[in-house]
Structure formats: structure tokens, C-alpha cells
Amino acid sequence: MKIAIACDHGGFPLKQELAELIKSLGHEVIDLGAHQYDKVDDYPDFARYMGQAIQHGQADRGVLLCGSGVGASVAANKLTGVRAAVCHDTYSAHQGVEHDAMNVLCMGARIVGVEVANELVRAFLGAKFSGEERHERRLEKVKGMEAGG
């Protein structure tokens, strides 16, 4: 899969390590920044880059980091077709894909350490949407809400 990764200054210390892990798992990494530490950068900018990569088919999934993961998740979900969630446990990281077709994993680099983040990324990337009727039905309802219905 093609996996985009992006972060603001809060997520910057964790991004490179996760990019290396993603590569080691056999995925292509698309690095959307930040490319250097800048204490005044803004998470919505990187959430937009992530969302656009998903929307345009440049990435199949994404890993988005900020200090808590919350701001990045809120911003990313404003973009059509993005289903982002903050996950700080492995069950949510894989179940969000399997049941909810989550395509962006958000994490707080100030909340989780590198080992937990590695496990979360493994769980997220190892999961597949179930395609079960109930999950498809729910996904269609979410898409309808996204379209303004």
C-alpha cells in the first residue's frame, strides 16, 4: 500500500521512526511533512495535505501526528472521503479499519511512546475492511452524512 505520513511540530519527533517502520513492513511511504521542526507550524495544514493525498488516490491510508492526535483528527475529518480517528490502543487501530473503513490513523506523539506507536501502526496497516453487510450499510450512512444528508 501507499501510506502517507504527516505531522506538525508536536508529532515531529515520532514521524521519521514511523516512516522507517512503514517501509520495513513493505509499504511505500509518502512523506507530506513537516520536513523540519518548526514550533509555529499548524496541524490543519498537514491534515489538509493528508486529506488531499487520500482524496486524489496518491495514498491508500495515512498516519497523521500532532501533540495529542485530536486536532489532527478533527481537521482531517473535514475533508470528504477521509475517515480519521485518534487511536492510542491496538484494538481501536485495527477495528477502526475492519468495521469503519478508517483510512487515517491519528496519534498524539506527546501521548504515546515510540513502541506503542509502532504497535498501533502495525495493527492499523495489518487490518482490512470486513465488507460485512452491516459495516457496508453503516459506511454508506456515514458517506451520506458527509454529502450533506
Side-chain angles (χ1 to χ4, degrees):
M1 284 189 289
K2 294 179 183 176
I3 310 300
I5 190 165
C7 70
D8 70 352
H9 62 279
F12 190 77
L14 189 53
K15 183 180 71 112
Q16 192 56 44
E17 178 121 9
L18 293 178
E20 294 302 320
L21 170 67
I22 294 165
K23 285 179 197 171
S24 78
L25 295 172
H27 302 286
E28 179 182 339
V29 174
I30 302 159
D31 187 341
L32 302 173
H35 300 292
Q36 61 187 21
Y37 180 82
D38 179 354
K39 69 180 181 177
V40 297
D41 63 12
D42 296 318
Y43 66 83
D45 297 327
F46 298 100
R48 180 182 306 277
Y49 304 150
M50 176 67 65
Q52 290 172 337
I54 297 288
Q55 289 175 324
H56 297 118
Q58 297 163 324
D60 301 303
R61 294 191 194 168
V63 175
L64 185 57
L65 306 163
C66 70
S68 70
V70 174
S73 174
V74 168
N77 279 307
K78 300 298 180 188
L79 290 119
T80 302
V82 174
R83 292 175 299 280
V86 178
C87 297
H88 291 153
D89 65 274
T90 57
Y91 178 79
S92 298
H94 71 79
Q95 187 269 345
V97 174
E98 294 163 353
H99 293 194
D100 308 310
M102 177 176 75
N103 53 16
V104 177
L105 171 65
C106 298
M107 290 183 285
R110 295 179 182 144
I111 309 300
V112 298
V114 67
E115 292 306 320
V116 172
N118 286 339
E119 291 302 314
L120 294 169
V121 168
R122 282 187 183 97
F124 171 65
L125 296 180
K128 292 182 171 53
F129 182 61
S130 74
E132 291 179 30
E133 185 276 330
R134 66 188 171 122
H135 299 144
E136 289 283 356
R137 181 182 70 244
R138 294 168 186 163
L139 179 58
E140 289 308 311
K141 289 180 179 184
V142 169
K143 289 178 179 179
M145 292 168 65
E146 187 177 61

